[in-house]
Amino acid sequence: MKNLAHSASLDSEDKDAPSKPGIKHLARRYGLRYQSSNSNASNAVDLQAAYETVNATWGAILCCANLIYHAAGWLEAALTASYKKLILDVEILQNMMEILQPLDCSEEALGFAAMASVPSGGHFFGAEHTMARYESAFYRPILSD
């Protein structure tokens, strides 16, 4: 399987080479994998490392990359690995995976029957619909409070 991630770069001498957005569309059209990276230039696990990783990861996700190289634990443009950065990156990736989950708009998920069953002035804490979902309704990060 051909990999189109490095077929053309911004500093390529080949003027006929497709641009990065063009490569993404070619990969999708011909069923080829498209890989990207979310590397950062930070020397330490700090705010710079976090925001560069978040922004680069969103770029990789929004361009529909099939594989994100160096997705967790890398610093200094993948010259250094860090266990602290690995935990931070797993948190970022897990958060993005949760954000990208399809929204369930079914009758059961929206809970119209539960709303109708609770009288005005009542509460939903004891409703069967709430009890069935309260443990799994919200995303629980592994690192952040």
Side-chain angles (χ1 to χ4, degrees), residues 23 74 79 130:
I23 292 173
W74 295 97
L79 294 175
T130 304

Side-chain angles (χ1 to χ4, degrees), residues 5 8 10 18 24 26 31-32 34 42 47 53 57 60-61 63 73-74 80 93 98-100 104 110 126 132 135 138:
L10 295 176
K24 173 190 80 165
L26 285 172
L32 303 173
Y34 179 72
S42 181
L47 181 62
T53 300
T57 305
I61 288 171
C63 76
W74 295 97
T80 307
L93 293 168
E98 186 67 27
I99 289 170
L100 295 171
D104 185 6
L110 294 175
E135 287 185 348
F138 299 101

Side-chain angles (χ1 to χ4, degrees), residues 73 82-92 142-143:
S82 165
Y83 289 120
K84 291 178 187 176
K85 182 73 166 55
L86 177 73
I87 299 299
L88 176 68
D89 289 347
V90 167
E91 177 82 8
I92 290 169
I142 57 173
L143 182 65

Side-chain angles (χ1 to χ4, degrees), residues 9 15 73 77 131:
S9 64
K15 300 301 180 202
M131 297 306 287

Side-chain angles (χ1 to χ4, degrees), residues 23-25 27-28 32-36 57-68:
I23 292 173
K24 173 190 80 165
H25 293 298
R28 189 179 309 159
L32 303 173
R33 70 178 184 179
Y34 179 72
Q35 66 193 34
S36 186
T57 305
W58 272 121
I61 288 171
L62 292 174
C63 76
C64 303
N66 300 93
L67 178 64
I68 302 175

